[in-house]
C-alpha cells in the first residue's frame, strides 16, 4: 500500500511543480502528459541502476493507471479546468498584454519571434494572440489582414485531394496500389513512359487527374539564379 501512496504523491507533486514552472516550459504537451513521460522513463531506467526490477514494474503499472485515470477525468467538465491550463491572452485588438506576457514568462523578443514564425510581422494587425495550455501560440489576425478565402469571392473550388504515394525511396507502396485497384504492371508502364527507373525515384504520387508525378534523385541546375540561392559555403 505504501508503494501506491508513494506513486500518487510523486505524481501529484510533479504536476504542482510543473504548473508552477509555467506553460512555456511544457510547450506542446499538457502538464500531466509531460510528467507521465518523465516519471515512467525514470522508473523504467531504475533496474539498470538498482536491482529492483519487480518494484520498478509495479511502480510503472501504478503510474500508467494514474495517467489513464487523469485522462479520463479530463473529459469531465468539472475536472478539466483543474487539470488543463487556461489560454493566456498575449495580444488583443493589436495591443500587447504585458500582464499576459509576464504570466507566461515570455520576453518581448520571443513573442515577436513566435509571430514571425507564423507569418506575422506587425502586432497591430492581430485581433487576438493566445498561449494555449500546451504552450503553443495561437494567432487570429484582424479581418482586414487575414488571407482571402474562396467564399469571400463567391468562388467554387474543387474538392481537396491528397496525392497518394505509389513509390517512396525507390520502393513500391503495394498497399496503396491495392487501395486504388491498380496493379504493378500499370505502375511500371507509367514509370517507363517517363523514362525513369523505380530505384532512382525519390517519390512518385498519383495526382487527382490520374497522372503520375515523379520526383527523382536528380537536382535541377539553376545556373546560379539568385532566386535559388542557399545559405552556406556549399551553394
Amino acid at each position: 500500500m505504501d508503494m501506491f501512496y508513494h506513486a500518487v504523491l510523486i505524481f501529484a507533486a510533479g504536476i504542482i511543480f510543473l504548473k508552477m514552472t509555467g506553460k512555456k516550459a511544457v510547450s506542446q504537451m499538457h502538464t500531466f502528459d509531460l510528467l507521465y513521460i518523465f516519471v515512467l522513463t525514470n522508473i523504467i531506467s531504475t533496474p539498470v541502476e538498482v536491482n529492483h526490477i519487480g518494484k520498478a514494474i509495479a511502480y510503472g503499472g501504478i503510474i500508467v493507471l494514474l495517467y489513464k485515470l487523469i485522462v479520463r477525468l479530463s473529459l469531465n467538465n468539472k475536472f478539466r479546468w483543474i487539470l488543463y491550463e487556461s489560454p493566456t491572452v498575449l495580444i488583443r485588438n493589436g495591443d500587447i498584454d504585458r500582464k499576459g506576457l509576464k504570466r507566461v514568462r515570455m520576453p518581448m523578443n520571443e513573442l515577436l519571434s513566435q509571430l514571425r514564425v507564423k507569418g506575422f510581422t506587425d502586432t497591430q494587425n492581430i485581433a487576438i494572440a493566445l498561449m494555449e495550455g500546451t504552450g503553443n501560440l495561437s494567432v487570429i489576425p484582424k479581418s482586414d489582414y487575414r488571407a482571402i478565402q474562396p467564399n469571400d469571392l463567391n468562388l467554387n473550388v474543387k474538392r481537396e485531394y491528397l496525392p497518394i504515394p505509389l513509390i517512396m525511396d525507390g520502393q513500391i507502396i503495394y498497399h496503396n496500389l491495392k487501395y486504388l485497384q491498380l496493379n504493378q504492371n500499370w505502375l511500371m508502364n507509367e514509370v517507363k513512359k517517363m523514362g525513369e527507373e523505380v530505384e532512382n525515384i525519390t517519390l512518385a504520387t498519383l495526382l487527382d487527374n490520374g497522372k503520375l508525378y515523379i520526383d527523382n534523385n536528380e537536382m535541377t541546375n539553376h545556373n546560379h539564379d539568385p532566386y535559388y540561392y542557399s545559405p552556406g559555403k556549399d551553394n
Side-chain angles (χ1 to χ4, degrees):
M1 206 61 183
D2 287 343
M3 188 182 294
F4 179 77
Y5 290 136
H6 287 161
V8 172
L9 185 62
I10 290 168
F11 210 79
I15 288 177
I16 293 169
F17 290 150
L18 284 172
K19 278 184 175 291
M20 289 170 62
T21 304
K23 288 181 284 189
K24 187 168 167 284
V26 294
S27 180
Q28 298 184 18
M29 294 184 77
H30 286 292
T31 311
F32 57 86
D33 295 321
L34 186 65
L35 181 68
Y36 170 69
I37 299 298
F38 281 165
V39 174
L40 195 60
T41 303
N42 221 5
I43 289 171
I44 290 171
S45 65
T46 300
V48 178
E49 302 166 7
V50 185
N51 192 21
H52 292 301
I53 296 176
K55 279 188 177 181
I57 293 173
Y59 271 118
I62 293 170
I63 293 299
V64 171
L65 290 174
L66 279 173
Y67 177 72
K68 290 176 76 69
L69 175 63
I70 289 174
V71 171
R72 180 63 62 88
L73 288 174
S74 70
L75 300 176
N76 188 303
N77 286 327
K78 292 180 180 178
F79 295 100
R80 183 176 298 151
W81 302 112
I82 299 173
L83 295 170
Y84 286 117
E85 297 278 356
S86 298
T88 304
V89 176
L90 304 182
I91 301 174
R92 189 187 294 277
N93 197 30
D95 295 323
I96 297 170
D97 190 326
R98 292 184 179 275
K99 289 182 180 178
L101 285 176
K102 190 174 180 180
R103 195 174 301 123
V104 299
R105 302 175 181 86
M106 177 179 280
M108 186 68 67
N109 62 329
E110 187 173 343
L111 171 64
L112 297 177
S113 172
Q114 294 266 12
L115 292 173
R116 287 195 300 272
V117 168
K118 293 186 174 293
F120 298 96
T121 56
D122 194 340
T123 57
Q124 297 178 78
N125 302 339
I126 295 170
I128 189 167
L130 303 156
M131 179 173 278
E132 303 291 352
T134 56
N136 289 325
L137 192 68
S138 298
V139 184
I140 309 296
K142 292 180 178 178
S143 56
D144 291 344
Y145 296 97
R146 68 177 174 82
I148 295 176
Q149 303 297 319
N151 281 340
D152 296 331
L153 304 174
N154 294 320
L155 295 176
N156 291 320
V157 295
K158 65 179 182 179
R159 186 177 177 182
E160 190 64 35
Y161 177 82
L162 182 67
I164 301 172
L166 298 181
I167 301 173
M168 294 177 69
D169 295 322
Q171 297 181 356
I172 297 172
I173 313 298
Y174 290 101
H175 63 267
N176 283 350
L177 276 176
K178 183 179 178 182
Y179 174 78
L180 294 167
Q181 297 183 332
L182 298 171
N183 56 46
Q184 187 176 341
N185 289 335
W186 173 86
L187 180 60
M188 296 304 291
N189 287 334
E190 292 298 311
V191 169
K192 190 175 180 180
K193 282 180 191 175
M194 301 176 78
E196 299 285 352
E197 296 287 340
V198 171
E199 57 269 20
N200 294 330
I201 294 175
T202 303
L203 178 67
T205 55
L206 187 71
L207 304 179
D208 56 348
N209 58 8
K211 293 182 178 179
L212 196 67
Y213 165 76
I214 292 178
D215 186 341
N216 58 26
N217 292 327
E218 297 178 3
M219 294 292 291
T220 304
N221 184 2
H222 296 291
N223 296 321
H224 304 286
D225 187 330
Y227 288 100
Y228 289 91
Y229 167 75
S230 297
K233 63 181 182 180
D234 297 326
N235 54 35

